Amino acid sequence: MQFATPTATLSHPIGESLKSRAARVVPGGIYGHLDSALLWKGAPQFVKHAQGSHFWDVDGHEYIDMMCSWGPILHGHRHPVVEEAVARQAAMVDCGNGPTEAFVELAELLTDTVAHADWAMFAKNGSDVTTLAVSLARAHTRKRVILVAEGAYHGALPWCNPNTAGVLTSDREYLAYYTFNDLATVGELFAEHRGDVAGVIVSAFRHDASYDQELTDPAFARGLRLLCDTHDAVLIVDDVRAGFRLTTGCSWEEFDVRPDLSAWSKGIANGYPIGALLGSDALRPTAQTVFATGSFWMAGVPMAAAIATLNLLKDTDGLTRMYERGTQLVGGLRAQAAHHQLAVRVTGPVTMPYLKFIDEEHHALTERWAAEVAQRGAFVHPRHNWFLSTAHTTDDIEAVLHATDAAFATIAATL
Amino acid sequence: MQFATPTATLSHPIGESLKSRAARVVPGGIYGHLDSALLWKGAPQFVKHAQGSHFWDVDGHEYIDMMCSWGPILHGHRHPVVEEAVARQAAMVDCGNGPTEAFVELAELLTDTVAHADWAMFAKNGSDVTTLAVSLARAHTRKRVILVAEGAYHGALPWCNPNTAGVLTSDREYLAYYTFNDLATVGELFAEHRGDVAGVIVSAFRHDASYDQELTDPAFARGLRLLCDTHDAVLIVDDVRAGFRLTTGCSWEEFDVRPDLSAWSKGIANGYPIGALLGSDALRPTAQTVFATGSFWMAGVPMAAAIATLNLLKDTDGLTRMYERGTQLVGGLRAQAAHHQLAVRVTGPVTMPYLKFIDEEHHALTERWAAEVAQRGAFVHPRHNWFLSTAHTTDDIEAVLHATDAAFATIAATL
């Protein structure tokens, strides 16, 4: 397959120099999900600056940020209200010999905001709180097996990461895998592991990297709740990625389903590092028995940031605007693809959309398209859902759509 | 046993009110190592402010901080040089769509500073990097068993935490436990698990909570290195707690022992959340295969803080001063205890000392003594080692010793 050269190829001399230096002192020069080698040749690796809905790479190229740092940036980079709360807390204490008042305020705010939540615990990573949830389910039920959706991502630890290097069979011995949105497969696992299912962990919706996204069937959500109730198992919603981008509460509230535990991180503190586990009263006594601590887990600054972030979401029409901008974006993308007679799917909630070409191998077309979009000043990811923020304006989305339309045209011209 | 009432009992009305609120929205009102119920009745729970070597609880009581937030505060709270580096980075970007230049600079600085290190990877928690080290050892050797010192703390995850609630037998199936400083027990485990030992993890020195500390026998350190070499196992030094408080490098450099991997966190960024795994070239290819990522792991601010923290340590006589103040403190404590004819042990490195009464049950005397010290304005922990910082002055230590002497006198009067 041949492609036209992008209209203008951005050069990255500073970024390339940093990459060379990194290659000497970091295995492979980088690791994890911010590896630009997962993007297209010449993709920006190092970030210099970010403000609102835009960021600049170290070579000075500006992008409208449609990834929001893979989720954490809910209100745009360096939102003044969040930064003010951060500055106020940082002037007193961040990491101290005890928690700050913000610890109590944040727990109160989250339990007020999230319907199923009677209590909160805080950590740093999403993995910290999904792991804590699994331990809690096992401690509470005195059973072992956790049901996990095949292909779902629940964190970077040996029990859950999507890799096998250094992982032992015993690390995943008591996991069993169902198919998302397929209640029958869950029922089969409950039967197979009768009396030993401690809990079911499920993402807010199916957002497995590299694949089309899949919204949650409300009947599936309600069925999971019923199965967990029937079999005395703990229902855990992993809202780490979707939390507060679908609704001001747990993402499954729209189905009238209340989990026993929900795991949160990413967007809840607008980029400041925090994870939260929210739970119902039934799990409270057990929560006092599981081991949970970390050197930085009680730090005041991320909690102050989370309070400001959540209050901003509750006190403004930010979520509504995020949906409007998402609808504008997704509608525009679909219309453009149709106009260029290109077969793409845009899937997932409009606030966390993902676009993928249908007829391609190894994401070749999607990657080329994302590269063309980046050349024109908008940053989207070819293998992972994107993230809207409350900072995206109508003008931002129009500019993104201008870039995507030209990118579609370039792709269409080569097919 | 009866005790005299402390000279002046500090009251905590604001702290008590926060505790009541917390009890409603957090299991048990608090969790983890910052739980003041692990201290004495009336111990401060909530922190309002911290500066240099002092902190203030929410009720306005001031303490000389001998815990340094359990290690993270290496140069004193809110050190201006670190804060300036943080402000500079925060004004650009913290959590972005890619790493910042600070990522490369920090990896360069750490590999320049730590003798065994050819590369670096970064995370958030100490647990993140001890776990990554274990996965790397297993992936590299294609073996399973990790040897761990009985009673050692390597993090808060099911494989390593000192609890069993929610932990499955399978989580710890391929761990085997040796006795710290007893090389024969390590040799026995290598024999017992012949051909299946992936690595040995060992703390910089024995600093198990609640116990007297034990310095590392250099022969033990050298013996571990030899055993690992002989059996093709990976030697992992857990420097999370001790890192940069013993020497400007890995804590085992003084024994001329180079581990294959070392795990770092706590003090390396003066309170900003970061963990680091440092490794040798032999492990580099494997390090590219293990799964390692987190939403906040590439954030620029903690890396900028770490660069400033480490440069401060290297460019000043901070470590020398920390040792001098530690020597002043430990010498003073021992002289005071002798003067009051009280049987105590002060153990561990002088920069991370721990004082415990010898003849007591459930830390009753040590706890009462620490309470008396706190009443007089110095904060020490009865069950965990303390931490010096480069911010502690001779006057600080004199004031601490003034408090400890009076506390010893009070205890002596009751015996």
Side-chain angles (χ1 to χ4, degrees):
Chain A
M1 214 183 293
Q2 291 294 312
F3 294 101
T5 307
T7 315
T9 304
L10 302 179
S11 69
H12 296 276
I14 300 173
E16 289 303 318
S17 160
L18 285 171
K19 273 190 189 182
S20 301
R21 285 169 56 193
R24 287 192 284 273
V25 289
V26 174
I30 184 109
Y31 47 89
H33 65 290
L34 301 187
D35 183 353
S36 68
L38 301 171
L39 301 171
W40 52 89
K41 192 169 157 48
Q45 174 76 84
F46 291 92
V47 174
K48 181 73 176 181
H49 180 59
Q51 183 62 47
S53 54
H54 292 234
F55 78 94
W56 290 258
D57 66 29
V58 286
D59 288 286
H61 309 305
E62 180 176 353
Y63 307 89
I64 300 172
D65 183 2
M66 301 311 295
M67 287 304 292
C68 293
S69 308
W70 294 62
I73 305 300
L74 187 69
H75 293 306
H77 296 273
R78 307 177 61 248
H79 190 286
V81 172
V82 178
E83 295 308 299
E84 192 198 328
V86 161
R88 206 163 44 233
Q89 182 61 54
M92 297 188 289
V93 61
D94 182 19
C95 179
N97 277 315
T100 64
E101 188 173 354
F103 166 73
V104 184
E105 283 181 15
L106 179 57
E108 289 173 341
L109 182 58
L110 283 168
T111 53
D112 276 352
T113 306
V114 176
H116 84 89
D118 298 311
W119 54 261
M121 296 172 78
F122 305 107
K124 285 288 109 178
N125 300 307
S127 306
D128 296 336
V129 287
T130 55
T131 303
L132 195 52
V134 164
S135 293
L136 235 167
R138 285 171 170 160
H140 185 69
T141 61
R142 299 177 181 274
K143 299 187 245 182
R144 294 177 297 185
V145 177
I146 301 291
L147 308 187
V148 185
E150 184 70 47
Y153 181 74
H154 296 297
L157 292 167
W159 77 266
C160 54
N161 83 50
N163 199 339
T164 55
V167 174
L168 303 183
T169 308
S170 55
D171 289 328
R172 300 176 184 175
E173 187 172 348
Y174 293 100
L175 301 182
Y177 299 91
Y178 62 87
T179 303
F180 186 82
N181 265 348
D182 183 346
L183 200 62
T185 63
V186 183
E188 284 160 19
L189 293 176
F190 267 108
E192 186 181 333
H193 302 276
R194 183 165 295 275
D196 201 21
V197 177
V200 179
I201 188 166
V202 59
S203 301
F205 63 93
R206 185 170 180 250
H207 46 49
D208 310 350
S210 296
Y211 295 96
D212 290 330
Q213 302 190 101
E214 188 178 340
L215 296 179
T216 302
D217 178 354
F220 175 71
R222 292 186 200 114
L224 272 193
R225 178 68 276 175
L226 190 63
L227 277 171
C228 286
D229 289 341
T230 304
H231 295 277
D232 188 27
V234 173
L235 179 59
I236 306 161
V237 167
D238 182 345
D239 238 335
V240 168
R241 198 185 301 176
F244 296 137
R245 272 193 169 84
L246 303 193
T247 184
T248 313
C250 176
S251 295
W252 279 23
E253 286 181 23
E254 64 169 313
F255 314 131
D256 224 10
V257 171
R258 295 190 179 192
D260 303 297
L261 298 170
S262 57
W264 304 70
S265 181
K266 286 204 183 271
I268 69 173
N270 209 48
Y272 288 85
I274 193 166
L277 182 68
L278 304 183
S280 63
D281 267 331
L283 276 289
R284 189 194 289 255
T286 311
Q288 297 182 45
T289 69
V290 297
F291 192 88
T293 203
S295 297
F296 310 115
W297 289 15
M298 292 290 183
V301 162
M303 294 185 188
I307 294 166
T309 299
L310 188 45
N311 279 332
L312 261 178
L313 197 71
K314 293 175 78 167
D315 299 344
T316 68
D317 62 344
L319 197 58
T320 305
R321 285 186 284 105
M322 216 195 297
Y323 269 101
E324 286 171 358
R325 295 300 88 72
T327 303
Q328 177 190 358
L329 175 66
V330 167
L333 289 168
R334 286 181 178 143
Q336 291 173 352
H339 172 75
H340 293 287
Q341 296 185 293
L342 290 166
V344 306
R345 282 197 198 96
V346 188
T347 56
V350 298
T351 54
M352 300 171 64
Y354 175 57
L355 180 147
K356 190 184 174 311
F357 284 73
I358 295 170
D359 302 313
E360 64 176 350
E361 284 184 7
H362 306 299
H363 293 70
L365 282 175
T366 307
E367 190 174 287
R368 184 55 179 258
W369 177 80
E372 296 284 350
V373 173
Q375 299 289 343
R376 293 166 178 86
F379 188 72
V380 299
H381 202 287
R383 283 185 179 75
H384 193 281
N385 75 270
W386 320 341
F387 294 89
L388 274 283
S389 79
T390 65
H392 286 105
T393 62
T394 309
D395 285 352
D396 283 332
I397 303 302
E398 274 176 18
V400 171
L401 287 171
H402 189 76
T404 57
D405 193 50
F408 278 129
T410 305
I411 299 292
T414 69
L415 295 180
Chain B
M1 215 181 295
Q2 292 294 313
F3 294 100
T5 307
T7 314
T9 304
L10 302 178
S11 69
H12 296 276
I14 300 172
E16 289 303 319
S17 160
L18 286 172
K19 274 191 188 182
S20 301
R21 285 168 56 193
R24 288 193 284 272
V25 289
V26 174
I30 184 103
Y31 48 89
H33 66 290
L34 301 186
D35 183 353
S36 69
L38 301 171
L39 301 171
W40 51 89
K41 190 168 158 50
Q45 174 75 84
F46 291 92
V47 175
K48 179 74 176 182
H49 180 58
Q51 182 64 45
S53 54
H54 293 233
F55 78 93
W56 291 258
D57 67 28
V58 287
D59 288 287
H61 308 305
E62 179 176 355
Y63 306 88
I64 301 172
D65 183 2
M66 302 311 295
M67 287 304 292
C68 293
S69 308
W70 295 62
I73 305 301
L74 187 70
H75 294 305
H77 295 274
R78 306 178 62 247
H79 190 286
V81 172
V82 178
E83 295 308 299
E84 191 199 328
V86 161
R88 207 163 43 232
Q89 182 62 53
M92 296 189 289
V93 62
D94 182 19
C95 179
N97 277 315
T100 65
E101 188 173 355
F103 166 72
V104 184
E105 283 180 15
L106 179 57
E108 288 173 341
L109 182 58
L110 283 167
T111 54
D112 277 351
T113 305
V114 176
H116 85 89
D118 298 312
W119 54 260
M121 296 172 78
F122 305 107
K124 286 289 108 178
N125 300 307
S127 306
D128 295 337
V129 287
T130 55
T131 303
L132 195 52
V134 164
S135 293
L136 234 166
R138 286 171 170 159
H140 185 69
T141 60
R142 298 178 182 275
K143 299 187 247 183
R144 294 177 296 184
V145 177
I146 301 291
L147 307 187
V148 185
E150 184 69 45
Y153 182 74
H154 296 297
L157 293 167
W159 77 266
C160 54
N161 82 49
N163 201 338
T164 54
V167 174
L168 303 183
T169 308
S170 55
D171 289 328
R172 300 176 184 175
E173 187 172 350
Y174 293 100
L175 302 183
Y177 299 91
Y178 63 88
T179 303
F180 186 81
N181 265 348
D182 184 344
L183 200 62
T185 63
V186 183
E188 283 159 19
L189 293 176
F190 267 107
E192 187 181 333
H193 302 277
R194 184 164 295 276
D196 201 20
V197 176
V200 179
I201 187 165
V202 59
S203 302
F205 63 94
R206 184 169 180 251
H207 46 48
D208 310 351
S210 296
Y211 295 95
D212 290 328
Q213 302 191 101
E214 189 178 340
L215 296 179
T216 304
D217 178 353
F220 175 72
R222 292 187 199 111
L224 272 193
R225 177 70 276 176
L226 190 62
L227 277 171
C228 286
D229 289 342
T230 305
H231 295 278
D232 188 27
V234 173
L235 179 59
I236 305 161
V237 168
D238 181 346
D239 239 336
V240 167
R241 199 184 303 177
F244 297 138
R245 273 195 170 82
L246 302 193
T247 184
T248 314
C250 176
S251 295
W252 279 22
E253 287 182 22
E254 62 168 314
F255 313 131
D256 224 11
V257 170
R258 294 190 179 192
D260 303 297
L261 298 170
S262 56
W264 304 70
S265 180
K266 287 203 182 271
I268 69 173
N270 209 47
Y272 289 86
I274 192 165
L277 182 68
L278 304 183
S280 63
D281 268 332
L283 275 290
R284 189 193 289 256
T286 311
Q288 297 182 46
T289 68
V290 296
F291 192 88
T293 204
S295 297
F296 311 115
W297 289 16
M298 292 290 184
V301 162
M303 295 186 188
I307 293 166
T309 299
L310 189 44
N311 280 332
L312 260 178
L313 197 71
K314 293 174 78 167
D315 299 344
T316 69
D317 63 344
L319 197 58
T320 304
R321 284 186 285 105
M322 216 195 297
Y323 268 101
E324 287 171 359
R325 295 299 87 74
T327 303
Q328 178 191 356
L329 175 66
V330 168
L333 290 169
R334 287 183 177 142
Q336 291 174 350
H339 173 75
H340 293 287
Q341 298 185 291
L342 291 166
V344 307
R345 282 198 199 95
V346 187
T347 55
V350 298
T351 54
M352 300 169 64
Y354 174 56
L355 181 146
K356 189 184 176 311
F357 283 73
I358 295 170
D359 303 313
E360 64 175 352
E361 285 183 8
H362 307 301
H363 293 69
L365 284 175
T366 307
E367 189 174 288
R368 185 54 179 263
W369 178 79
E372 296 286 348
V373 173
Q375 298 289 342
R376 294 166 177 86
F379 188 72
V380 300
H381 202 287
R383 284 185 178 75
H384 192 281
N385 75 270
W386 319 342
F387 295 89
L388 275 281
S389 79
T390 66
H392 285 106
T393 64
T394 309
D395 286 352
D396 283 332
I397 304 301
E398 274 177 19
V400 171
L401 287 171
H402 189 76
T404 57
D405 193 50
F408 279 129
T410 304
I411 299 292
T414 69
L415 295 179

